[in-house]
């Protein structure tokens, strides 16, 4: 992709015009503008130096445009206020004159000279900065912004709410979308729920609405039982190999059985299953997809407690929250007391933060040798929602809630907490490291389990609560997508979730341009937050896809093939995966190894520039030669000294 | 000011905070034309006024200014600052907004942001942008990184001495500028009007703003900012470095008696952040956070909280009921402890920061057919599947306008709202003018 | 200029996203600082090879302050690479008899006005004390 022109020597024809602004006294009160112009005229390459009261005014812009059009100048230096205010203004003026906007250099004489210095020193500094800018301008080349053609199709990986929502948004925007889902079902983890906290929408309505729209959308293709096998390319031009086959083993046996018991057909929602849009394929099928952008929506899985953690697996009366939700859906009877699997639940304990907020040195590592230090965000509300549901339907079932902090932060969530307090749910607060102990109840009461806790709310009293059921509010963990992560070369955080470029400003982008994150593959979220993230990912994908091309700044690395000897030092120093590579090229009839830049991936930081022993690679518009020329001017006194002028 | 009779855009974004700017840029990136209508004299919202942001501790200005500049320079984005929305209604396919341009008494086109007027102005007024802890002039550029970098006159305090008019190199000062109304039509709108902090003046429990060393969290943001009022953290009472600083959480949130039953969602994290920053600037000070529940729920937030504990910030479980002046500028707190022996405790600190609750930045009232939830924030009709959807077709909401929210959640929602708006435009045959 | 005292030229390499706007903010606040300072806007100082710094000193630049974005660099990993490079420049400076304090790596944010002025003042005082490069 590197162009083969020599670009090291100053163009002999460079005719630099220097324009110095008074800024209505802001500059000229501290800087002798005439003197700066006089000095500038003695700088090599400068053909004209003019000053004006307000360079940014229309007539002055016209003056510069005239000088360009008449051929008097072909490089422009404006010395005025900070470039943050007017660099763009003057680049546009160059474009209006039919010139290349990049043969422009800005000297900052207001914020960085006249407002901070005074007297002769201010003028001298201004002259030196203008001379430096002129020296750089002389070496500037016209640049074109980089245009990368884009495949106008998005691939969405994952068919939970995030993937479905992202696909739908893009489809509705008029873009082609292919959704790839590993399991035979759409709906992800939401299909394992009943009602959603805090407002009580049903999982059935949420998923049916999404799948209904997605499956009938002409622009969206859905592949279930499909996985990404291989991946190549870059923003605008990704190539993805997908394998579609019958899932190995019996992972989905339970859900398939539920589906057949339900008597429902393809495309219909089945509780605790989801929607199966198509039959499971018989053989193995492979196909390639092209995409301009990729949305990752691979979701989460609930934390699975270790055997023995709070008595899990040791006692059948200890269940996780997702397990409780299923059992509640199947609970029969309309009495005042909850009955689960034929057992009367008179007292139930809910324990928060299971598998979340684990602290190094306080909590034991999980089986994989890690700790989940993060808060899972959704469990407090989900737990309180379940508590309120039980209290409302089965007023004789008493609820004991064991928590560290109640995190009902979102709209409608604090109300769940207030409601729980009102309906008689009893709260116990424990400190990290002093988790409640679950054991068999040694006392001969009818409650099989005993929960012991040191309760902060009663100033550290040791309490024992006999219960019939213990519910563990388990957190969210990322799904195992090691294969995908490796293939796509996307970063994973210390918390094992996928990592965004900037946790505040660019939350749905990853360091690989063109790949976007939607939902809980990034961090724990609830359904509303997941759909917002999916919308945000979709809008970024749409920005890439709608125009059919993306335009990138021309300030990227460029290899000078007349100098490159293929040391590979630049490739090693490169900070952007895939932006630089050694390739075989034919140079003067011989096959040689040379560096090649992929401008679509290059960030333009210049890490490569510093390490090239031949100075054969440079960032366009910011070359080392240009900087050297600037330093030469800053240290030179030649143009400052009076000379007899001819 | 030119006469702006009727402006026409594809989309209107109401509010130029981080949510509004992100929504506008997302729309513009798909080549739709966008007007951002902002009531303040600068865009940037609350974020540009913060010191550093949790959990990354990036300098807030450093990550906000590039967004502000991107919006200011984007050919598809028009910024209309110092504008007040009078009404917004749907007329057939169009949304029609009636907007008032408040007079700056400075010609936007002519002003070059040189601040000569500011230097000459003889009037000093408490600077709200610095939490009232420093002074500004009666003609002023709102703050150092404001966009646009243009002056305005505060007519309440201007003494009409005319010095600014004389010194202005571009004759931009115009004492006769008038309020101007104009209409703006758009096919779709995003409401991003953000939040305001609950006023301290009507909080008897917290001294109604009369105790000098009881400050709001936003004032603490200014004290911590590198370009803040004192350039360091000093307490307002006597300009001394505080030896002990307390944060009162849920000061006015989660409290029906204060009229705000909901959780304000960002206060735990900003208090932790401020305590961490203080432990850097006042390494010897005792830092205490009085709280009910620490709600560190976002990505990386819990770890941030744990770090603060490891750094020695004290977290005390207890609800502060009352704050009163103590000896020599100290502040006395009465709180009901959940720890040790419990009961009502009385303690003194040199400086107290109130983590006041968040209220809506704008309520539509009669100006438009949007309604609000019980919390007074803009009502959303499909919080799960389409969190940006409002009752009014084609009008979407993002950021703290639909309930307290931190920056990252605001940005994500702004993306979602912009996507809904793009989709809405596409469905109505709007082609982005490429 | 303060004529008597030696005021060797100080080069400041300022990142366009952090320190350059930081220097603008100093200007907006009219906080003055020594004028023997020449600020060049850079995308990222990781661009400069070891030789660049040595050449600058050879050309007579008395001090260089690299004002980076620190770990908030928009190019992940660049600050670390830069810091490693500067560590390699120091022995080369020593070998040429240059006081290594003439080269300083810092991080300056968009509103770090006080830090900016402090850095400049310190370098100014240092180069006045040391005199022209190579004569220490
Ligand atoms: C003390 C404090 C510290 C914080 N610290 C952090 C932190 O470290 N990290 C973090 O993530 N979050 C922090 N936050 C939260 C952060 O401020 C918000 O997340 C963010 O500002 C929300 O952005 P927004 O655009 O939705 O609202 P805002 O920032 O409030 O912006 C709304 C904009 O709309 C304008 N507007 C309002 N009404 C109208 C109208 N009728 N017409 C036109 N314009 C209108 C306003 O003037 C404003 O410019 C903090 C909050 C506080 C109070």
């Amino acid at each position: 992709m590197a162009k083969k022109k020599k670009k090291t020597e100053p163009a002999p024809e460079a005719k630099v015009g220097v324009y110095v602004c008074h800024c209505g006294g802001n500059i000229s009160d501290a800087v002798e503008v005439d003197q700066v112009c006089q000095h500038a005229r003695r700088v090599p390459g400068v053909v004209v130096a003019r000053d004006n009261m307000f360079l940014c005014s229309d007539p002055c812009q016209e003056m510069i445009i005239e000088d360009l059009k008449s051929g008097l100048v072909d490089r422009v230096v404006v010395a005025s206020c900070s470039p943050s205010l007017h660099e763009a203004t003057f680049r546009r003026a160059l474009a209006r004159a039919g010139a290349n906007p990049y043969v422009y250099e800005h000297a900052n004489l207001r914020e960085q000279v006249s407002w901070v210095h005074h007297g002769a020193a201010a003028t001298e500094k201004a002259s030196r900065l203008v001379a430096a800018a002129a020296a750089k301008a002389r070496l500037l080349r016209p640049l074109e912004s980089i245009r990368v053609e884009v495949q106008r199709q998005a691939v969405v990986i994952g068919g939970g709410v995030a993937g479905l929502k992202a696909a739908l948004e893009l489809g509705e925007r008029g873009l082609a979308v292919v959704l790839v889902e590993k399991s035979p079902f759409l709906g992800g983890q939401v299909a394992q729920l009943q009602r959603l906290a805090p407002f009580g929408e049903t999982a059935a309505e949420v998923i049916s609405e999404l799948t209904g729209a997605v499956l009938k959308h002409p622009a969206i293709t859905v592949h279930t039982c499909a996985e990404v096998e291989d991946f190549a390319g870059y923003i605008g031009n990704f190539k993805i190999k997908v394998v579609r086959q019958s899932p190995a083993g019996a992972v989905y046996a339970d859900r398939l059985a539920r589906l057949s018991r339900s008597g429902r057909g393809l495309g219909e929602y089945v509780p605790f299953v989801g929607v199966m849009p198509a039959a499971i394929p018989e053989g193995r099928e492979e196909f390639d997809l092209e995409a301009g952008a990729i949305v990752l929506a691979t979701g989460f899985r609930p934390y699975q407690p270790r055997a023995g953690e709070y008595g899990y697996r040791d006692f059948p009366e200890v269940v996780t929250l997702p397990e409780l939700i299923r059992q509640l859906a199947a609970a029969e009877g309309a009495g005042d007391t909850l009955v689960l699997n034929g057992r009367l639940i008179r007292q139930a304990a809910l324990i928060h933060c299971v598998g979340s907020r684990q602290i190094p040195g306080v909590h034991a590592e999980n089986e994989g040798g890690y700790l989940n230090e993060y808060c899972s965000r959704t469990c407090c509300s989900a737990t309180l929602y379940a508590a309120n549901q039980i209290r409302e339907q089965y007023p004789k079932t008493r609820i004991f809630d064991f928590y560290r902090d109640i995190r009902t932060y979102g709209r409608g969530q604090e109300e769940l907490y207030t409601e729980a307090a009102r309906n008689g749910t009893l709260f116990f607060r424990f400190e990290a490291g002093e988790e409640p102990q679950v054991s068999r109840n040694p006392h001969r009461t009818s409650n099989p389990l005993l929960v012991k806790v040191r309760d902060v709310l009663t100033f550290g009293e040791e309490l024992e609560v006999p219960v019939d059921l213990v519910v563990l509010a388990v957190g969210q963990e990322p799904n195992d997508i090691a294969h995908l992560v490796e293939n796509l070369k996307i970063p994973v955080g210390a918390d094992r979730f996928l990592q965004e470029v900037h946790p505040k400003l660019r939350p749905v982008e990853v360091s690989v341009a063109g790949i976007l994150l939607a939902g809980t593959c990034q961090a724990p979220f609830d359904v509303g937050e997941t759909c917002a993230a999916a919308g945000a990912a979709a809008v970024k994908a749409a920005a890439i896809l709608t125009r059919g091309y993306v335009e990138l700044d021309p300030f990227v690395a460029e290899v000078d093939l007349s100098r490159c000897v293929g040391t590979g030092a630049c490739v090693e120093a490169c900070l952007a995966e895939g932006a630089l590579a050694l390739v075989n090229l034919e140079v003067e009839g011989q096959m040689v190894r040379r560096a090649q830049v992929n401008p679509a991936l290059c960030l333009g930081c210049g890490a490569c520039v510093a390490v090239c022993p031949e100075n054969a690679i440079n960032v366009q518009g910011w070359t080392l030669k240009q900087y050297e020329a600037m330093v030469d001017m800053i240290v030179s006194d030649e143009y400052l000294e009076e000379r007899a002028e001819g | 000011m030119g006469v702006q009779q009727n402006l026409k855009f594809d989309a209107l974004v109401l509010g130029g905070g981080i949510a509004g700017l992100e929504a506008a840029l997302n729309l513009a990136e798909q080549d739709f034309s966008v007007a951002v209508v902002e009531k303040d004299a600068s865009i940037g919202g609350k974020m540009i006024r913060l010191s550093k942001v949790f959990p990354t501790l990036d300098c807030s200005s450093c990550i906000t200014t590039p967004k502000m500049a991107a919006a200011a320079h984007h050919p598809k984005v028009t910024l209309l600052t110092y504008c007040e929305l009078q009404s917004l209604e749907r007329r057939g396919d169009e949304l029609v907004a009636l907007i008032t341009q408040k007079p700056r008494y400075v010609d936007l086109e002519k002003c070059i942001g040189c601040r000569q007027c500011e230097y000459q102005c003889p009037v000093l007024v408490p600077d709200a942008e610095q939490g009232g802890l420093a002074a500004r002039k009666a003609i002023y550029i709102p703050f150092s990184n404001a966009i646009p970098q243009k002056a305005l006159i505060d007519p309440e305090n201007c003494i009409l001495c005319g010095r600014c008019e004389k010194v202005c190199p571009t004759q931009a000062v115009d004492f006769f500028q008038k309020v101007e109304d104009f209409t703006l039509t758009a096919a779709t709108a995003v409401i991003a009007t953000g939040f305001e902090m609950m006023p301290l003046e009507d909080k008897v429990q917290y001294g109604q703003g009369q105790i000098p060393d009881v400050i709001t969290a936003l004032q603490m943001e200014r004290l911590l900012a590198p370009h803040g009022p004192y350039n360091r953290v000093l307490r307002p009472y006597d300009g001394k470095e505080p030896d002990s600083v307390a944060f009162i959480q849920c000061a006015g949130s989660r409290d029906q008696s204060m009229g705000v039953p909901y959780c304000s969602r960002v206060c735990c994290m900003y208090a932790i952040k401020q305590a961490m920053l203080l432990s850097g600037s006042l390494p010897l000070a005792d830092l205490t956070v009085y709280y009910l529940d620490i709600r560190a729920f976002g990505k990386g937030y819990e770890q941030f909280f744990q770090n603060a504990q490891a750094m020695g910030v004290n977290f005390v479980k207890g609800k502060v009921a009352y704050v009163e002046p103590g000896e020599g500028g100290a502040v006395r707190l009465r709180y009901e402890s959940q720890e040790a022996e419990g009961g009502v405790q009385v303690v003194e600190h040199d400086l107290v920061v109130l983590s006041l609750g968040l209220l809506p930045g704008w309520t539509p009232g009669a100006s438009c057919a949007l309604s609000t939830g019980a919390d007074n924030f803009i009502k959303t009709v499909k919080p799960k599947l389409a969190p940006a959807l409002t009752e009014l077709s084609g009008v979407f909401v993002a950021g703290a306008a639909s309930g307290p929210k931190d920056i990252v959640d605001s940005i994500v929602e702004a993306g979602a709202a912009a996507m809904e708006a793009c989709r809405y435009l596409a469905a109505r045959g709007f082609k982005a003018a490429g | 200029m303060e004529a008597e005292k030696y005021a060797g030229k100080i080069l400041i390499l300022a990142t366009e996203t952090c320190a350059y706007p930081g220097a603008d903010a100093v200007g907006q606040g009219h906080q003055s600082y020594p004028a023997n300072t020449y600020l060049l806007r850079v995308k990222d100082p990781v661009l400069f090879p070891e030789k660049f710094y040595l050449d600058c000193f050879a050309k007579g630049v008395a001090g260089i302050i690299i004002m980076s974005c620190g770990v908030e660099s928009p190019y992940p990993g660049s600050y670390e690479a830069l810091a490693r490079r500067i560590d390699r420049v120091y022995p080369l400076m020593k070998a040429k008899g240059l006081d290594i304090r003439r080269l300083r790596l810092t991080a300056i944010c968009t509103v770090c006005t006080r830090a900016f002025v402090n850095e400049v003042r310190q370098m100014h005082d240092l180069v006045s004390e040391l005199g022209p490069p190579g004569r220490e």
Side-chain angles (χ1 to χ4, degrees), chain A residues 504, chain B residues 18-19 38-39 46 53-54 193-194 273 400 405-407:
Chain A
K504 289 264 110 168
Chain B
I18 190 64
E38 166 59 54
K39 75 168 162 45
K46 292 290 179 297
V53 292
F54 61 75
T193 45
K273 166 190 80 178
K405 225 156 276 151
D406 62 21
I407 294 162

Side-chain angles (χ1 to χ4, degrees), chain B residues 160-182:
Chain B
L160 291 172
C161 68
R163 289 195 209 181
C164 51
E165 193 179 21
K166 280 197 209 84
V167 76
C168 177
T170 61
Q171 286 83 49
V173 177
D174 173 5
F175 291 113
F176 299 102
Q177 226 177 43
K178 291 209 167 49
V179 173
E180 264 179 57
D181 288 338
F182 61 95

Side-chain angles (χ1 to χ4, degrees), chain B residues 50-69:
Chain B
L50 303 177
S51 53
K52 297 193 172 180
V53 292
F54 61 75
T56 45
L57 294 185
D58 298 92
C59 137
S60 190
S61 162
C62 304
I63 61 175
T64 321
T65 29
K67 280 267 175 221
M68 291 163 66

Side-chain angles (χ1 to χ4, degrees), chain B residues 152-346:
Chain B
L152 74 156
I153 291 178
D154 153 14
E156 307 258 299
N157 291 295
C158 173
I159 54 169
L160 291 172
C161 68
R163 289 195 209 181
C164 51
E165 193 179 21
K166 280 197 209 84
V167 76
C168 177
T170 61
Q171 286 83 49
V173 177
D174 173 5
F175 291 113
F176 299 102
Q177 226 177 43
K178 291 209 167 49
V179 173
E180 264 179 57
D181 288 338
F182 61 95
T183 57
L184 188 157
T185 50
T188 178
V190 175
I191 308 292
T193 45
F195 69 91
E196 286 302 334
M197 269 199 142
M198 176 183 278
L200 182 52
E201 287 66 32
D202 51 344
K203 295 289 166 274
V204 183
Q205 311 79 322
Y206 302 129
Q208 294 177 297
Q210 296 300 310
I211 312 174
D213 288 333
V214 176
I215 62 172
T216 70
L218 272 176
Q219 287 178 311
M220 183 47 99
E221 289 290 326
R222 295 316 307 156
L223 288 179
L224 287 164
H227 52 325
Y230 311 142
N231 276 330
R232 51 206 270 221
V233 180
L234 302 174
R235 61 177 198 176
Y237 174 74
D238 52 5
K240 139 178 171 329
E241 278 196 354
D243 292 329
S244 82
V245 183
F247 293 85
I248 302 183
Q249 297 311 106
C250 297
S253 302
R254 300 180 61 193
D255 189 337
Q256 190 64 64
S257 69
M258 298 264 196
V260 172
Y262 53 84
C263 163
S264 287
R265 194 165 161 155
V266 291
C267 329
C268 283
M269 290 304 294
Y270 70 60
I272 297 172
K273 166 190 80 178
Q274 293 184 347
M276 269 185 157
L277 294 173
L278 280 176
S279 79
S281 51
L282 304 172
L284 298 178
D286 285 329
L287 305 169
T288 311
V289 180
Y290 296 92
Y291 73 101
L292 294 174
D293 296 280
I294 287 293
R295 296 190 164 169
F297 56 84
K299 183 162 180 167
Y301 292 6
E302 176 67 20
Q303 294 91 318
F304 192 77
F305 168 44
Q306 296 299 339
N307 286 345
Q309 285 177 291
M311 283 165 73
V313 178
N314 301 316
F315 287 86
V316 175
K317 292 188 189 79
K319 170 86 180 163
V320 176
Y322 209 78
V323 168
E324 58 199 8
E327 292 294 307
V331 184
R332 198 173 302 132
L333 309 187
R334 253 168 232 284
Y335 73 100
E336 207 170 316
S337 172
Q338 281 192 8
E339 293 186 339
E341 298 304 299
V344 173
Q345 305 281 330
V346 180

Side-chain angles (χ1 to χ4, degrees), chain A residues 413-576:
Chain A
Q413 294 180 357
E414 186 72 9
E415 286 87 328
L416 294 177
Y417 189 19
T418 323
E419 168 59 20
R422 200 198 53 78
N423 69 29
T425 299
L426 278 180
F427 287 92
F428 303 83
R429 186 170 198 172
F430 63 91
E431 300 278 5
E434 298 188 349
E435 277 70 20
Q437 303 290 317
V438 179
S439 56
R440 270 272 166 254
N441 188 355
H443 313 297
R444 294 198 161 265
T445 65
S446 47
N447 312 105
L449 297 176
L450 196 64
V451 181
K452 273 189 239 167
V453 72
R454 202 176 71 82
D455 176 30
V456 177
L457 298 178
T458 50
F459 317 117
E461 209 177 319
E462 302 274 353
L463 298 174
E464 292 190 348
V465 185
V467 293
D468 305 300
L469 178 76
V470 170
V471 181
L472 307 180
V474 292
Q476 301 190 5
E477 287 191 320
N479 266 320
D480 180 15
I481 51 165
H483 181 62
L484 207 55
V485 164
E486 201 174 297
N487 251 314
L488 272 58
K489 300 206 172 59
I490 38 178
V492 174
D495 55 9
R496 294 172 296 122
F497 286 94
L498 296 179
Q499 196 176 322
E500 59 289 317
V501 188
H502 191 284
K504 289 264 110 168
L505 270 196
R506 294 169 66 191
V508 298
E509 295 161 82
V510 296
S511 57
V512 185
I515 300 184
L516 302 154
L517 301 178
T520 53
C521 58
Q522 180 188 11
F525 290 127
D526 74 8
V527 176
E529 291 157 350
T530 295
C531 283
V539 89
K540 297 285 177 205
I544 298 168
L545 301 179
T546 37
R547 286 184 196 155
Y549 63 89
V550 279
E551 234 170 33
L552 308 168
D553 268 349
F555 308 126
V556 294
E558 187 194 29
V559 178
D560 179 350
L561 283 179
S562 70
R563 285 169 170 256
C564 179
V565 294
T567 64
C570 55
V571 181
E572 214 157 289
C574 181
L575 298 173

